[in-house]
């Protein structure tokens, strides 16, 4: 009953002071919205397990070799051997992703598509404990059956419920659709999904070999630990079998397995799935979560200050309630109810705002990359950002914490106040002023931390954007095409490339065009092991490589420094020694203090004969990202009629806006072959900017948080000074009546703001410098303890302090002494 009475009383108080209620609720809504939104992203990437049975027992095998990324692919015979002998340790499954041409619809009017198809072993779905949304999953003995992902079912079939039993064709081979998986099931990848799953044994149909043998295939090995078996035990037992397998394989094929003998096996947990996005953004997410936490603490202190001001204004009312028999516990309860009601209303609005703006956050995230057996692939991000019980519990806990922290100051003050003093008191109260000043100093300190972080991130982003990349990003547009979508062979793909280049040159607005095997700035590249005459290699990837056509350097604005560029005579598969062009880093790395022109080298572990001869040297360029030191690169004319028809990237240079050439190029390709589309189109400027997604996201969010924090700090300082002027009206009026100068009154008010501002600035600067090492890996071209960023943050806060003091100071100076002294 008492709670209901307090609730009704709180509602009456809010109706009497709608401005206070709206301001406090808005502050809480903004704080809860920021925290809920960022925690939803953190939950999706870091905390949510895969939606399968017992994900904690799931592991994947990786080979770890010195100076190489973890390698997840193993020979299929090893998989069969482990499956036959390791049943007491774990259950095994395998997968391998193909990028295949897919046809759907009728044979008279087929629709061509490019599919990410995952071939999985027979017990894959049953061991994961997942079932289909429609139809059924793949089971042992299935042949030419396919299960669609929910995303592909939506995109390609508009969620047609009658899809079961229809036939699709993968590289010309028919497959019957057996089922559709639930929306949340994405396989082992957390933030992307294959388009469909097929039986692993059907992979034989997609081999480039005329006589494919499944024993020559590789597979990603997924294992589920048996109950009572630890990961270390399973790793030890599996490593012993893997070592024996490698020794036998080395005896048969020394060159193919020599490098593997120096590696070791590692089992890595798949509880949270595979996610390059998570690996790239973990520190950034932790920074954002910490920033939103600081922001919420500032909100709590500000709302607490507002409630404390109300508690001060209602002291006599509270004293009367105590005098007629109310207990102090009841007074505390009443303040808690008011704060909780305020927080629930603001929190509900904040949670709604967080999910209403979630699409905006999702659009700021990058395309998924670094997945499957082609790490250069870009595909739609399929990250589940729907709220689950953890997010809901987090949001409710935030609301409860906000209510408690906000109510602490007024509840403590009201319960501790002396009854007799409260009935006689005026507004002047040193305890209240000290408490309010402390809250304000805390806000200024937290705001300083956020401002310094935002300054560091902004300077890093500016440094990266202004970085000289070594290529011209402003006048190039790139088109990715996969001739394998239509089943082109090497000869047909070569013909398509040559015709595209020839006809692109004839288009108005095209200055030049060239082809490369991949685009720059996608976080991944092709590595190789370069070995010089008389040396013995160790198999470590010590250089990068790109296959390009001769005009590539002109199109990209890469300058020839010495020697010559590539020519048509350098084309691959001519039977002659291949001439290549290398960059400055390559020349410095392998031929220091020498003229690299004419030097020869090989790739691999042994130098038996030269594979390449250096014909020219070009300037260094960034390859994978703007943050990397330009690696050694050699460029070869790696295209020809005998090459496997992989996807390639057409680069087109224009004198003007490169986006204007996109439509003409699409029409050109359609006139050559209307069934082969460009599937990734972007200007090079967009590609470079896309590579900075993490920096852009961090800068945008930390800047937004900082602007909000500055506003909160300004409100806090304004509240202190307004209360001070109101509480000391009679004193100020008396001073003015006795002839005090305006400057004396101004100083009286301003010096009241100096202690919390100074303490907050110094504390915040110290905290920011202490925490700066945490974000060191996110910075570029700026030190964590950058004096410039700290100085700018302090100047911003001082300016806000001056602005906050202006109105209360003017109010004090303009007081009418006669009117003020007549007041009670």
């Amino acid at each position: 009953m008492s709670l209901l009475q307090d609730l009704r009383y709180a509602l009456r108080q809010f109706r009497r002071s709608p401005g206070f209620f709206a301001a406090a609720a808005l502050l809480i809504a903004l704080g809860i919205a920021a925290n809920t939104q960022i925690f939803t992203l953190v939950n999706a990437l870091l905390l949510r397990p895969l939606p399968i049975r017992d994900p904690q027992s799931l592991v994947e095998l990786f080979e770890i070799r010195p100076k190489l990324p973890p390698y997840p692919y193993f020979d299929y015979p090893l998989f069969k051997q482990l499956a036959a002998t390791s049943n007491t340790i774990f259950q095994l499954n395998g997968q391998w992703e193909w990028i295949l041409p897919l046809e759907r619809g009728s044979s008279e009017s087929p629709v061509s598509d490019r599919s990410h198809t995952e071939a999985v072993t027979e017990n894959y779905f049953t061991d994961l404990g997942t079932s289909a949304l429609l139809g059924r999953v793949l089971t042992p003995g299935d042949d030419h059956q396919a299960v669609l992902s929910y995303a592909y079912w939506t995109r390609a079939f508009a969620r047609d419920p009658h899809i079961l039993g229809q036939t699709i064709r993968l590289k010309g081979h028919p497959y019957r659709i057996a089922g559709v998986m639930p929306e949340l099931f994405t396989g082992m990848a957390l933030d992307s999904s294959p388009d469909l799953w097929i039986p692993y044994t059907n992979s034989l149909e997609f081999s480039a070999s005329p006589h494919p043998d499944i024993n020559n295939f590789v597979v990603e090995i997924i294992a589920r630990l048996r109950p009572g078996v630890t990961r270390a035990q399973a790793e030890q037992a599996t490593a012993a079998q893997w070592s024996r397998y490698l020794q036998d394989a080395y005896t048969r094929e020394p060159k193919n397995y020599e490098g593997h003998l120096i590696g070791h096996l590692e089992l890595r947990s798949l509880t949270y799935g595979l996610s390059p996005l998570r690996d790239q953004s973990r520190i950034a997410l932790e920074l954002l979560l910490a920033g939103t936490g600081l922001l919420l603490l500032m909100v709590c202190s500000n709302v607490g200050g507002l409630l404390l001001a109300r508690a001060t204004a209602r002291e006599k009312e509270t004293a009367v309630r105590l005098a007629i028999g109310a207990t102090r516990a009841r007074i505390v309860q009443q303040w808690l109810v008011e704060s909780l009601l305020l927080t629930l209303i603001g929190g509900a609005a904040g949670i709604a705002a967080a999910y209403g703006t979630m699409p905006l956050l999702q659009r700021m995230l990058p395309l998924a990359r670094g997945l499957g057996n082609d790490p250069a692939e870009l595909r739609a991000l399929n990250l589940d950002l729907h709220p689950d019980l953890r997010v809901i519990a987090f949001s409710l806990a935030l609301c409860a914490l906000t209510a408690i922290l906000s109510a602490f100051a007024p509840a403590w003050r009201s319960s501790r106040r002396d009854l007799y003093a409260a009935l006689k008191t005026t507004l002047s109260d040193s305890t209240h002023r000290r408490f309010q000043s402390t809250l304000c100093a805390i806000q200024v300190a937290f705001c300083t931390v956020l401002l310094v972080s935002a300054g560091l991130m902004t300077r890093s982003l500016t440094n990266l954007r202004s970085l000289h990349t070594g290529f011209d990003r402003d006048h190039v547009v790139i088109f990715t095409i996969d001739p394998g979508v239509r089943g082109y062979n090497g000869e047909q793909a070569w013909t398509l490339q040559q015709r595209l280049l020839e006809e692109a040159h004839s288009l108005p607005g095209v200055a030049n065009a060239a082809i490369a095997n991949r685009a720059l700035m996608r976080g991944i590249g092709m590595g190789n092991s370069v070995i010089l005459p008389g040396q013995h290699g160790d198999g470590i990837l010590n250089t990068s490589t790109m296959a390009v056509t001769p005009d590539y350097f002109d199109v990209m604005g890469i300058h020839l420094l010495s020697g010559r560029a590539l020519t048509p005579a350098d084309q691959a598969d001519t039977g002659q020694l291949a001439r290549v062009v290398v960059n400055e880093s390559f020349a410095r790395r392998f031929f220091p203090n020498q003229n690299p022109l004419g030097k020869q080298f090989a790739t691999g572990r042994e130098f038996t004969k030269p594979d390449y001869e250096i014909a020219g040297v070009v300037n260094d360029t960034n390859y994978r990202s703007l943050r990397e030191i330009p690696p050694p690169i050699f460029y070869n004319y790696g295209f020809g009629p005998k090459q496997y028809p992989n996807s390639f990237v057409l680069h087109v240079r224009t004198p003007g806006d490169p986006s204007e050439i996109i439509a003409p190029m699409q029409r050109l390709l359609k006139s050559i072959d209307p069934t082969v589309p460009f599937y990734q189109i972007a200007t090079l400027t967009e590609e470079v900017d896309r590579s900075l997604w993490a920096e852009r996201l961090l800068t945008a969010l930390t800047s937004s948080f900082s602007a909000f924090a500055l506003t909160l700090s300004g409100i806090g300082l304004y509240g202190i000074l307004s209360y001070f002027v109101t509480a000391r009206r009679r004193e100020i009026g008396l001073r003015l009546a006795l002839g005090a100068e305006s400057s004396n009154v101004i100083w009286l008010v301003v010096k009241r703001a100096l202690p919390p501002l100074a303490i907050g600035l110094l504390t915040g600067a110290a905290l920011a410098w202490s925490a700066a090492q945490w974000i060191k890996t996110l910075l570029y071209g700026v030190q964590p303890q950058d004096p410039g960023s700290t100085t700018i943050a302090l100047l911003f806060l001082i300016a806000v302090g001056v602005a906050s003091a202006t109105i209360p100071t003017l109010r004090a100076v303009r007081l009418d002494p006669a009117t003020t002294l007549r007041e009670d």
Side-chain angles (χ1 to χ4, degrees), residues 725 728-749 808-821:
V725 172
R728 301 183 68 174
R729 283 172 60 87
R730 291 178 62 82
E731 177 191 337
I732 295 172
L734 185 59
R735 285 173 179 267
L736 291 172
L738 294 176
E741 297 289 339
S742 296
S743 59
N744 294 332
V745 175
I746 291 173
W747 174 244
L748 180 70
V749 177
T809 302
L810 291 175
R811 189 188 307 156
V813 171
R814 293 172 180 172
L815 282 176
D816 180 12
T819 303
T820 304
L821 292 174

Short mmCIF file of all heavy atoms in Angstrom, two decimals, residues 725 728-749 808-821:
data_model
loop_
_atom_site.label_atom_id
_atom_site.label_comp_id
_atom_site.label_asym_id
_atom_site.label_seq_id
_atom_site.Cartn_x
_atom_site.Cartn_y
_atom_site.Cartn_z
N VAL A 725 23.96 31.20 -6.66
CA VAL A 725 23.40 32.55 -6.76
C VAL A 725 22.07 32.63 -6.04
O VAL A 725 21.78 33.60 -5.31
CB VAL A 725 23.27 32.96 -8.24
CG1 VAL A 725 22.50 34.28 -8.36
CG2 VAL A 725 24.65 33.09 -8.88
N ARG A 728 22.54 32.56 -2.23
CA ARG A 728 23.23 33.70 -1.62
C ARG A 728 22.75 35.03 -2.19
O ARG A 728 23.49 36.01 -2.28
CB ARG A 728 24.74 33.54 -1.83
CG ARG A 728 25.26 32.24 -1.21
CD ARG A 728 26.74 32.06 -1.33
NE ARG A 728 27.46 33.04 -0.51
CZ ARG A 728 28.79 33.00 -0.35
NH1 ARG A 728 29.50 32.04 -0.94
NH2 ARG A 728 29.41 33.91 0.38
N ARG A 729 21.45 35.06 -2.55
CA ARG A 729 20.87 36.29 -3.09
C ARG A 729 20.99 37.43 -2.08
O ARG A 729 21.36 38.56 -2.43
CB ARG A 729 19.40 36.06 -3.45
CG ARG A 729 19.17 35.31 -4.73
CD ARG A 729 17.71 34.97 -4.91
NE ARG A 729 16.87 36.15 -4.94
CZ ARG A 729 16.60 36.85 -6.05
NH1 ARG A 729 17.12 36.47 -7.20
NH2 ARG A 729 15.82 37.90 -6.02
N ARG A 730 20.65 37.15 -0.82
CA ARG A 730 20.67 38.23 0.19
C ARG A 730 22.09 38.76 0.38
O ARG A 730 22.30 39.97 0.48
CB ARG A 730 20.11 37.72 1.51
CG ARG A 730 18.61 37.44 1.46
CD ARG A 730 18.11 36.88 2.78
NE ARG A 730 18.30 37.79 3.88
CZ ARG A 730 17.48 38.81 4.19
NH1 ARG A 730 16.39 39.03 3.46
NH2 ARG A 730 17.70 39.61 5.22
N GLU A 731 23.07 37.82 0.43
CA GLU A 731 24.46 38.26 0.60
C GLU A 731 24.91 39.10 -0.58
O GLU A 731 25.55 40.16 -0.40
CB GLU A 731 25.37 37.03 0.76
CG GLU A 731 26.85 37.40 0.88
CD GLU A 731 27.75 36.19 0.77
OE1 GLU A 731 27.28 35.07 1.05
OE2 GLU A 731 28.93 36.37 0.41
N ILE A 732 24.60 38.64 -1.81
CA ILE A 732 25.01 39.40 -3.00
C ILE A 732 24.31 40.75 -3.03
O ILE A 732 24.92 41.80 -3.35
CB ILE A 732 24.72 38.58 -4.28
CG1 ILE A 732 25.58 37.31 -4.29
CG2 ILE A 732 24.96 39.41 -5.53
CD1 ILE A 732 25.24 36.35 -5.40
N GLY A 733 23.01 40.75 -2.69
CA GLY A 733 22.29 42.02 -2.64
C GLY A 733 22.89 42.97 -1.64
O GLY A 733 23.00 44.18 -1.89
N LEU A 734 23.26 42.47 -0.47
CA LEU A 734 23.87 43.31 0.56
C LEU A 734 25.21 43.86 0.08
O LEU A 734 25.52 45.04 0.29
CB LEU A 734 24.06 42.49 1.84
CG LEU A 734 24.58 43.26 3.07
CD1 LEU A 734 23.63 44.40 3.43
CD2 LEU A 734 24.75 42.31 4.25
N ARG A 735 26.02 43.02 -0.57
CA ARG A 735 27.30 43.48 -1.10
C ARG A 735 27.09 44.62 -2.11
O ARG A 735 27.81 45.63 -2.10
CB ARG A 735 28.05 42.32 -1.78
CG ARG A 735 28.66 41.32 -0.81
CD ARG A 735 29.21 40.13 -1.58
NE ARG A 735 29.84 39.15 -0.71
CZ ARG A 735 31.14 39.12 -0.40
NH1 ARG A 735 31.95 40.03 -0.93
NH2 ARG A 735 31.63 38.19 0.40
N LEU A 736 26.12 44.44 -2.99
CA LEU A 736 25.86 45.47 -3.99
C LEU A 736 25.35 46.75 -3.33
O LEU A 736 25.70 47.87 -3.74
CB LEU A 736 24.85 44.95 -5.02
CG LEU A 736 25.34 43.84 -5.95
CD1 LEU A 736 24.19 43.28 -6.78
CD2 LEU A 736 26.43 44.37 -6.88
N ALA A 737 24.51 46.59 -2.29
CA ALA A 737 23.99 47.77 -1.59
C ALA A 737 25.09 48.55 -0.90
O ALA A 737 25.02 49.78 -0.77
CB ALA A 737 22.92 47.34 -0.59
N LEU A 738 26.11 47.85 -0.44
CA LEU A 738 27.22 48.50 0.26
C LEU A 738 28.29 49.01 -0.70
O LEU A 738 29.36 49.44 -0.27
CB LEU A 738 27.85 47.53 1.26
CG LEU A 738 26.93 47.13 2.44
CD1 LEU A 738 27.61 46.08 3.31
CD2 LEU A 738 26.56 48.35 3.28
N GLY A 739 28.04 48.90 -2.02
CA GLY A 739 28.94 49.50 -2.99
C GLY A 739 29.93 48.57 -3.63
O GLY A 739 30.92 49.04 -4.23
N ALA A 740 29.73 47.26 -3.53
CA ALA A 740 30.67 46.32 -4.16
C ALA A 740 30.66 46.48 -5.67
O ALA A 740 29.63 46.74 -6.29
CB ALA A 740 30.30 44.89 -3.79
N GLU A 741 31.83 46.37 -6.29
CA GLU A 741 31.96 46.46 -7.74
C GLU A 741 31.41 45.18 -8.39
O GLU A 741 31.41 44.11 -7.79
CB GLU A 741 33.42 46.64 -8.12
CG GLU A 741 34.04 47.92 -7.61
CD GLU A 741 33.50 49.15 -8.32
OE1 GLU A 741 32.98 48.98 -9.46
OE2 GLU A 741 33.57 50.24 -7.74
N SER A 742 30.99 45.33 -9.64
CA SER A 742 30.50 44.16 -10.38
C SER A 742 31.58 43.09 -10.51
O SER A 742 31.30 41.89 -10.46
CB SER A 742 30.03 44.59 -11.77
OG SER A 742 28.94 45.45 -11.69
N SER A 743 32.84 43.52 -10.67
CA SER A 743 33.93 42.56 -10.80
C SER A 743 34.06 41.71 -9.55
O SER A 743 34.39 40.51 -9.64
CB SER A 743 35.23 43.29 -11.09
OG SER A 743 35.54 44.21 -10.05
N ASN A 744 33.80 42.29 -8.38
CA ASN A 744 33.86 41.52 -7.14
C ASN A 744 32.77 40.46 -7.09
O ASN A 744 32.99 39.33 -6.64
CB ASN A 744 33.74 42.45 -5.92
CG ASN A 744 34.93 43.39 -5.80
OD1 ASN A 744 36.02 43.06 -6.24
ND2 ASN A 744 34.70 44.56 -5.22
N VAL A 745 31.59 40.85 -7.55
CA VAL A 745 30.47 39.88 -7.56
C VAL A 745 30.76 38.78 -8.57
O VAL A 745 30.50 37.59 -8.32
CB VAL A 745 29.15 40.61 -7.90
CG1 VAL A 745 28.01 39.60 -8.03
CG2 VAL A 745 28.82 41.63 -6.82
N ILE A 746 31.30 39.17 -9.74
CA ILE A 746 31.63 38.16 -10.76
C ILE A 746 32.65 37.18 -10.21
O ILE A 746 32.51 35.96 -10.37
CB ILE A 746 32.17 38.85 -12.03
CG1 ILE A 746 31.05 39.64 -12.72
CG2 ILE A 746 32.77 37.83 -12.99
CD1 ILE A 746 31.52 40.50 -13.88
N TRP A 747 33.67 37.68 -9.56
CA TRP A 747 34.68 36.79 -8.99
C TRP A 747 34.09 35.88 -7.91
O TRP A 747 34.46 34.71 -7.80
CB TRP A 747 35.84 37.60 -8.42
CG TRP A 747 36.85 36.77 -7.68
CD1 TRP A 747 37.17 36.84 -6.38
CD2 TRP A 747 37.65 35.72 -8.24
NE1 TRP A 747 38.12 35.90 -6.06
CE2 TRP A 747 38.44 35.20 -7.20
CE3 TRP A 747 37.78 35.19 -9.52
CZ2 TRP A 747 39.34 34.17 -7.38
CZ3 TRP A 747 38.67 34.16 -9.70
CH2 TRP A 747 39.44 33.66 -8.65
N LEU A 748 33.15 36.42 -7.11
CA LEU A 748 32.49 35.61 -6.07
C LEU A 748 31.79 34.40 -6.69
O LEU A 748 31.85 33.29 -6.15
CB LEU A 748 31.47 36.49 -5.32
CG LEU A 748 30.69 35.80 -4.20
CD1 LEU A 748 31.61 35.50 -3.02
CD2 LEU A 748 29.52 36.69 -3.74
N VAL A 749 31.17 34.61 -7.86
CA VAL A 749 30.45 33.51 -8.52
C VAL A 749 31.44 32.58 -9.24
O VAL A 749 31.36 31.34 -9.12
CB VAL A 749 29.41 34.06 -9.52
CG1 VAL A 749 28.73 32.92 -10.27
CG2 VAL A 749 28.38 34.92 -8.80
N PRO A 808 24.38 32.51 -14.80
CA PRO A 808 24.31 32.77 -13.35
C PRO A 808 25.08 34.03 -12.94
O PRO A 808 24.63 34.76 -12.05
CB PRO A 808 24.93 31.51 -12.74
CG PRO A 808 24.76 30.46 -13.76
CD PRO A 808 24.89 31.16 -15.07
N THR A 809 26.21 34.29 -13.59
CA THR A 809 27.00 35.47 -13.23
C THR A 809 26.25 36.75 -13.59
O THR A 809 26.18 37.70 -12.80
CB THR A 809 28.36 35.43 -13.95
OG1 THR A 809 29.05 34.23 -13.60
CG2 THR A 809 29.21 36.62 -13.56
N LEU A 810 25.66 36.78 -14.79
CA LEU A 810 24.88 37.95 -15.18
C LEU A 810 23.68 38.14 -14.26
O LEU A 810 23.31 39.28 -13.91
CB LEU A 810 24.40 37.80 -16.63
CG LEU A 810 25.49 37.87 -17.71
CD1 LEU A 810 24.89 37.59 -19.09
CD2 LEU A 810 26.16 39.24 -17.70
N ARG A 811 23.06 37.03 -13.84
CA ARG A 811 21.93 37.12 -12.92
C ARG A 811 22.36 37.74 -11.60
O ARG A 811 21.65 38.56 -11.00
CB ARG A 811 21.33 35.74 -12.69
CG ARG A 811 20.01 35.75 -11.92
CD ARG A 811 19.58 34.35 -11.56
NE ARG A 811 19.55 33.49 -12.73
CZ ARG A 811 19.66 32.18 -12.68
NH1 ARG A 811 19.86 31.57 -11.51
NH2 ARG A 811 19.61 31.46 -13.77
N ALA A 812 23.57 37.34 -11.12
CA ALA A 812 24.05 37.90 -9.85
C ALA A 812 24.36 39.38 -9.98
O ALA A 812 24.03 40.18 -9.08
CB ALA A 812 25.30 37.13 -9.42
N VAL A 813 25.00 39.77 -11.09
CA VAL A 813 25.38 41.18 -11.26
C VAL A 813 24.15 42.07 -11.39
O VAL A 813 24.16 43.24 -10.95
CB VAL A 813 26.30 41.32 -12.49
CG1 VAL A 813 26.55 42.77 -12.84
CG2 VAL A 813 27.63 40.61 -12.24
N ARG A 814 23.07 41.53 -11.99
CA ARG A 814 21.88 42.34 -12.25
C ARG A 814 20.87 42.33 -11.11
O ARG A 814 19.75 42.81 -11.27
CB ARG A 814 21.22 41.85 -13.54
CG ARG A 814 22.07 42.11 -14.78
CD ARG A 814 21.48 41.45 -16.00
NE ARG A 814 22.30 41.70 -17.18
CZ ARG A 814 22.10 41.12 -18.37
NH1 ARG A 814 21.10 40.27 -18.52
NH2 ARG A 814 22.87 41.40 -19.39
N LEU A 815 21.22 41.71 -9.98
CA LEU A 815 20.29 41.70 -8.85
C LEU A 815 20.00 43.13 -8.38
O LEU A 815 20.90 43.98 -8.30
CB LEU A 815 20.88 40.89 -7.69
CG LEU A 815 20.81 39.37 -7.79
CD1 LEU A 815 21.52 38.73 -6.61
CD2 LEU A 815 19.37 38.89 -7.85
N ASP A 816 18.73 43.39 -8.05
CA ASP A 816 18.33 44.69 -7.48
C ASP A 816 18.48 44.61 -5.97
O ASP A 816 17.75 43.85 -5.31
CB ASP A 816 16.89 44.99 -7.86
CG ASP A 816 16.42 46.33 -7.30
OD1 ASP A 816 17.27 47.11 -6.83
OD2 ASP A 816 15.20 46.57 -7.31
N PRO A 817 19.44 45.33 -5.37
CA PRO A 817 19.67 45.21 -3.93
C PRO A 817 18.42 45.47 -3.10
O PRO A 817 18.14 44.77 -2.14
CB PRO A 817 20.75 46.25 -3.66
CG PRO A 817 21.43 46.44 -4.98
CD PRO A 817 20.37 46.27 -6.00
N ALA A 818 17.64 46.47 -3.47
CA ALA A 818 16.46 46.82 -2.67
C ALA A 818 15.44 45.69 -2.67
O ALA A 818 14.91 45.29 -1.62
CB ALA A 818 15.83 48.10 -3.22
N THR A 819 15.18 45.15 -3.86
CA THR A 819 14.21 44.05 -3.94
C THR A 819 14.72 42.82 -3.20
O THR A 819 13.96 42.15 -2.49
CB THR A 819 13.96 43.70 -5.42
OG1 THR A 819 13.51 44.86 -6.11
CG2 THR A 819 12.92 42.59 -5.55
N THR A 820 16.01 42.52 -3.36
CA THR A 820 16.58 41.33 -2.73
C THR A 820 16.54 41.42 -1.21
O THR A 820 16.20 40.46 -0.52
CB THR A 820 18.03 41.14 -3.20
OG1 THR A 820 18.06 41.07 -4.62
CG2 THR A 820 18.62 39.88 -2.62
N LEU A 821 16.85 42.59 -0.66
CA LEU A 821 16.89 42.74 0.80
C LEU A 821 15.50 42.72 1.42
O LEU A 821 15.36 42.42 2.61
CB LEU A 821 17.61 44.04 1.17
CG LEU A 821 19.12 44.06 0.84
CD1 LEU A 821 19.70 45.43 1.10
CD2 LEU A 821 19.85 43.01 1.66
#
